[in-house]
Each structure stands twice: as C-alpha cells, then as structure tokens.
Amino acid sequence: MSVSGGIISRTDTITRADVKTAIQASTNNLTELCKHANVKPCSRYKPVRKKQDTGMTEADFASVDYGYLYPSLLTAQELCNFLAGISTASGKNLTRSGSDLVAIKNGWYYQKPSGGADSPCRIGDFRGYNNNVGNNLMLFESFDSINVAQPPAQTRIPFSVYCPYGESQVLPWEMGSMNNTGKVDSNKRYFGIVVYKVGATITARSNPRYLVSGSNNELMIESTSSLSAGAKLCKLFDGSGTYWIIPVMSSSKEAFNDGTTASGATANQQAIFYPLPCAHQVCVATNSTSVVVPPISTDVVWTTTITATRTSRRINITMTLSGRLKKAGSSVSIGGWGIYSVVSARQGQNDYISTPKIITANKLASTITSATADTIVYNGITGLAFDYLDAGFNTTDPITISVLCQTMNEGKYFDLQNSSNEVTK
C-alpha cells in the first residue's frame, strides 16, 4: 500500500483503495473520493480544480494556488471593513458560495474539483495527501492585553505566524498568484498587522493602524533611536477598548504605518492586502497609570512535580504543586487570585506553548487570609493535556513537556518562582 498512518506517498503509485483508507471513506468511486467531506482542506496536496488530464506537478498545484481561493483588498481600511462584516468592503473574491467550497479562515476557502472536462477528478492529486492535519492552515499568536499608559519594556515585540504542520501544508507565499509580478513575490512580500478597534468607526485617522513588519514568518516591532518598540506599539491603539490584531501580507511596504505617529496616515494607501488564513487575536487595551504589582512576594519558592502518559495523539499530565502564597502589598485584592498553568513542548525544531489555563479548584480567596505566608499543597492536579498531532509533532520521537505555574493580577500573569518542571515522554 502507498498509505501509512493517514499519509499517502508522494512518489509511489496510488490506488482508490489507498485513498479510501487514508480519508476513511466507504466508497471507491473516484469522483466521490475527490469531493468527499473527509478530505482535509489544510493538506498541501489534495484534489484541486484545474482543466488538466495529466498528473499534477508542484508548479501545476501552485498555478491554481493549491486549491485555495482567498480575498484581496486595496486598502487596510477595506480590509477591516471586510473582516468586520461591513458591507461597504470592496476587493476581489470577497463573497463565495457553493457546495464545492470549504471555509477556512478570514475569507479563505478550499475549492474541490467539480468533475467533467473542465474540472476532472484525478487520483494522482492525492499523492502526498496528509489526513493528520487539523483545521488550521496557519496559526497566529500575539499578546492578549496591553496597558497603553505603560509601554512594554521589550525592544523587540514578536508576533508569530506559522503553519502548525510544517511541510504538510502550503505557505500562502508559495502559491502561484502571490508570486506574479506586481503582487506578493519574493521581492515584494511584506508582513504586518492591522490593529482594528472593535465597534469603532473606521476613518483614515483613527483606525486602522499598522506597523512595519519583520522578515520570514515572524512579525515584530523594532526599536528605533527616537522611539522605543513599546511606545511604538502603544501608538497603534486608540485608548482603552477591545481590538483585533490581524496578520496580513501586502504588496507595498508603504502600506504600513511605522507606528511613529498616532494618526493612521496611510489608511487609504493603495496596495494589495491579503488577510492571512488564521484567526485574528483579541487584545484588551487599558489606559491606567497605576502600577501592577505581583500578588505574591518574590521570595516565595514553589515546587512542582509532573508525571505524564502518552497516547497515540495526546500527552496527559498530572501535577503536584506546593508552596507559600503571600500578599505583596495591602492594596492588592486577594479575591480574584488563581493559579494557572502554561504547558510548553518541544520535539526537535518543533515548539509549542499554551495559553494560561486555570488549574485550581477555587480562587484561593479562602486559602489566603492575611498578609502572612500561607502554605498550600495541591496534589494530583489533572486535566492538563497536550494534543501533539494537532501541534504538528510526530508520533515516534520523544517529546519534552514543561509546565510553568503563574498567578494573575489586573490582567497580568506572574510566574510562581521555581514552579517549572519538565518530563520527556
């Protein structure tokens, strides 16, 4: 057979039985296999729509964008209109409908072949197909809160955009229409973010705001001699409120404001904007001059031990946590305290980190009764897990799992000193 573990060989001869096994279908009909609901739209290779009877080369797949349809807009303002569902948005490929389309994110769709002379169904399109990929073509990670009155101290503030399944997926800039002259080619490919204030009237001066991006697949704000990265970041926010942080590509560097001014002077700069096929991040901005203090004193030492069991796709984690929790200041409320876990994992070049997750059964208000030190012990904390297949890790090599414990005050997370531990499975 040319299929193993849901992955079809890219080089071997394949049969309908191989495809049937890979996508877990009950039919041997070629048209039904190519249009089957189980076909994963985020696999790099899959049936695509192209008027061609012969086998598909890499260039052939690229010429039809690996089966994807995606929107393009002429200004960042129109981009925000589109993503916010405002009907005045204008651009290309903004509306789609049909039973042959599978929605992904941000107006991106996978289009299946329809069958017939103009869109034949080819068994060879399944060479290299991976049924283990999840539902995300790309992932985007950024901060979830910011105090615009107190810019972060970092000189580099990263925003991570990546494909969670590595070579099993196509990168948008590998697609044919994004490599045409005048669009986003190897010399004219600019990453950036658009910051959109939810509920705000979009105007050239108030929203959206954007920044010059970094290179490769990492977006970041660089510091300058005249303005720190933290201050530049805060210029992108129009005071307190809820914002969307939207990752995009553009054909023009000039389409991005460098963040040195508060006005969105380039909101109507004409370029080609492509929203990337990943969910935007929600950021809550505050504007407070009060100092956020950790609700624990820095001299309190914690200990953790973790054990883990590994299944065919998940690592289940059990943790014991012990230490002393002490108020760091009389102005800090203890009623909203909690202990959170951050799970990270690594396997070779693959890295993963989770968002903080509450792990304590209560908010600790009953545990901490005064400013004196109190000792707490949590035994057998369960419910922590890492789905390593969804994160793009393989099933054979060891995976190192780390757990760091934190507490939170005024929307900020603080590490519990010496609370991290790790195990390899």
Side-chain angles (χ1 to χ4, degrees), residues 217-281:
N217 69 337
E218 186 179 37
L219 312 177
M220 63 182 63
I221 303 175
E222 299 280 2
S223 62
T224 65
S225 58
S226 59
L227 194 64
S228 71
K232 184 179 288 189
L233 174 67
C234 287
K235 291 290 187 180
L236 303 174
F237 294 85
D238 186 21
S240 301
T242 300
Y243 293 80
W244 289 356
I245 303 178
I246 308 163
V248 298
M249 290 199 304
S250 177
S251 61
S252 172
K253 185 175 182 179
E254 288 70 31
F256 294 100
N257 185 341
D258 66 2
T260 57
T261 61
S263 64
T266 58
N268 290 309
Q269 169 73 37
Q270 189 163 353
I272 299 175
F273 282 88
Y274 304 98
L276 290 175
C278 45
H280 60 264
Q281 296 292 297

Side-chain angles (χ1 to χ4, degrees), residues 185-216:
D185 57 30
S186 59
N187 297 314
K188 295 182 178 180
R189 183 177 70 234
Y190 301 98
F191 292 93
I193 63 172
V194 172
V195 177
Y196 165 68
K197 189 173 186 179
V198 177
T201 301
I202 298 176
T203 66
R205 293 195 62 79
S206 64
N207 277 290
R209 310 188 196 286
Y210 1 85
L211 56 110
V212 175
S213 65
S215 59
N216 298 323

Side-chain angles (χ1 to χ4, degrees), residues 7 42-45 128 130 133 165-170:
I7 301 174
C42 293
S43 174
R44 182 184 186 94
Y45 304 107
N130 187 347
V133 298
Y165 308 105
E167 294 181 358
S168 297
Q169 293 175 278
V170 61

Side-chain angles (χ1 to χ4, degrees), residues 64-142:
V64 291
D65 296 331
Y66 292 83
Y68 297 119
L69 305 175
Y70 52 90
S72 62
L73 300 105
L74 296 181
T75 67
Q77 180 173 334
E78 292 297 330
L79 174 74
C80 285
N81 284 342
F82 169 66
L83 295 177
I86 298 174
S87 59
T88 56
S90 60
K92 295 181 178 180
N93 302 328
L94 303 189
T95 59
R96 293 286 181 183
S97 63
S99 60
D100 61 337
L101 297 177
V102 180
I104 303 176
K105 293 282 194 314
N106 283 355
W108 283 62
Y109 290 87
Y110 160 51
Q111 187 177 39
K112 301 177 182 180
S114 59
D118 290 335
S119 180
C121 293
R122 295 171 294 267
I123 189 70
D125 285 11
F126 278 102
R127 289 192 180 94
Y129 173 80
N130 187 347
N131 201 59
N132 297 319
V133 298
N135 298 320
N136 295 300
L137 187 56
M138 300 190 76
L139 293 177
F140 173 56
E141 295 178 354
S142 71

